[in-house]
Amino acid sequence: ETESFDWLVCDVWMPGRSGIELAARVRALDPSIGIVVMSAWVLSPSDQRTVAQLGGTYLTKPVVAGSLAHHCGATTTRWDRRR
């Protein structure tokens, strides 16, 4: 049995692998998933481009719940247009 998810919401800095690496792997497995990557630190321009190429959104913490919900909707719309 497999499960599907609508969203991947992760931090950039995680033990064992970066959130950006995780996002790329998840995108390869599920092209329809929404991706939100966040961090308390500013991402390099290269990492910002990678997140954008994955169809994801980057947020700087702390993140307000309403802002997260807004960006999740924007990510879905942007990714749907790219497919």
Side-chain angles (χ1 to χ4, degrees):
E1 180 180 333
T2 62
E3 293 184 53
S4 64
F5 297 90
D6 295 326
W7 293 99
L8 168 67
V9 178
C10 64
D11 197 289
V12 172
W13 307 109
M14 302 185 323
R17 114 174 5 161
S18 81
I20 295 171
E21 291 170 348
L22 176 62
R25 182 157 170 80
V26 169
R27 172 63 73 220
L29 295 171
D30 184 353
S32 67
I33 196 166
I35 295 174
V36 176
V37 178
M38 58 182 107
S39 178
W41 303 97
V42 176
L43 286 184
S44 70
S46 173
D47 285 344
Q48 289 180 28
R49 278 191 301 277
T50 300
V51 171
Q53 289 168 348
L54 291 170
T57 296
Y58 166 69
L59 299 176
T60 303
K61 294 193 281 183
V63 176
V64 178
S67 176
L68 179 60
H70 169 77
H71 285 286
C72 285
T75 300
T76 301
T77 301
R78 184 172 55 247
W79 187 250
D80 286 343
R81 282 192 303 241
R82 290 174 51 130
R83 285 192 279 163

